[in-house]
Amino acid sequence: MDVNIPIATAVLAPDVSHASAPPLERQGSFSGPVLHSRIRGGPLMTEEAEALLRDANFPKGLKDVVGRATQVFHMRFFVLDNSGSMNAGDGSKIVGTKSRSCSRWCELGESMRFHADLLHRMGAPAEFRLLNPPRGHGLAQVIHVGNEASHDAGLTQLFSVLETSPQGRTPLVQQIYEVRRELEENADEIMA
């Protein structure tokens, strides 16, 4: 098996120019240095990233896959559901060696903190998009992590957003269209 073959291929959806959405409050910008890793030559399995995966008990094979995937996929998009339904208490999180009940939002937050921290440590660019504007003054709905432009600011902003309470509807399609638009606008840079 050739390990250099991507495990996913982006396919453009039909034209959705009739779709409209209000402008999003953004932290950072997608173009330019946002796509570029902070580490010259691309994202790397740094000692800091290795330590995070080791502490999370990732086996060596899975650590290797994580490292290779960041080389193949130069940008990651996370669409986070921060609608009111995320207040439901049917989530769970690991505390020590035990599973504890929590809200769906808490469960999602634990996962996103881990991913954002890992991507930040690797210098692997990612965009985190919330379905609804977060509660709180100055909190962005779109946050970039793991790139030259964000440094620690994106990570700090995302962690602050994950401390807010979810509210509102579930406008998922709107965010998917926004990701598509960003990919189309930056296709030359992404494919370079």
Side-chain angles (χ1 to χ4, degrees):
M1 183 169 96
D2 183 354
V3 295
N4 293 321
I5 298 173
I7 57 174
T9 302
V11 178
L12 293 179
D15 180 31
V16 291
S17 57
H18 62 280
S20 64
L24 300 176
E25 185 177 338
R26 305 176 68 88
Q27 176 273 319
S29 155
F30 184 84
S31 62
V34 169
L35 284 175
H36 300 146
S37 167
R38 289 189 327 250
I39 302 169
R40 198 178 246 343
L44 299 172
M45 185 57 71
T46 62
E47 287 182 27
E48 291 177 326
E50 178 78 29
L52 182 65
L53 293 175
R54 185 178 50 253
D55 292 347
N57 296 315
F58 272 53
K60 181 185 180 331
L62 191 52
K63 286 189 266 187
D64 292 344
V65 168
V66 169
R68 286 194 308 268
T70 58
Q71 295 294 323
V72 174
F73 300 102
H74 302 290
M75 182 68 180
R76 282 136 290 281
F77 293 89
F78 294 84
V79 179
L80 310 182
D81 183 355
N82 66 333
S83 67
S85 67
M86 296 300 283
N87 286 309
D90 58 358
S92 62
K93 66 178 182 175
I94 305 295
V95 179
T97 59
K98 300 195 185 236
S99 178
R100 301 281 187 231
S101 294
C102 66
S103 69
R104 294 175 186 172
W105 181 244
C106 177
E107 180 179 25
L108 179 64
E110 292 288 313
S111 176
M112 291 303 98
R113 281 182 195 89
F114 175 82
H115 285 287
D117 190 15
L118 177 63
L119 296 168
H120 174 75
R121 291 175 188 218
M122 294 180 77
E127 183 173 280
F128 292 81
R129 303 179 139 270
L130 289 102
L131 295 185
N132 296 292
R135 291 179 180 176
H137 180 68
L139 296 177
Q141 191 172 351
V142 178
I143 301 165
H144 293 100
V145 171
N147 56 59
E148 293 173 347
S150 71
H151 299 287
D152 292 338
L155 198 61
T156 301
Q157 177 86 198
L158 180 63
F159 287 4
S160 293
V161 163
L162 293 172
E163 293 299 319
T164 65
S165 296
Q167 42 100 38
R169 296 183 171 199
T170 311
L172 178 60
V173 173
Q174 171 187 330
Q175 292 302 323
I176 299 299
Y177 290 154
E178 279 292 313
V179 169
R180 177 187 174 198
R181 184 188 59 74
E182 298 246 3
L183 289 170
E184 287 175 338
E185 288 178 3
N186 295 282
D188 292 340
E189 186 175 354
I190 293 168
M191 300 305 284

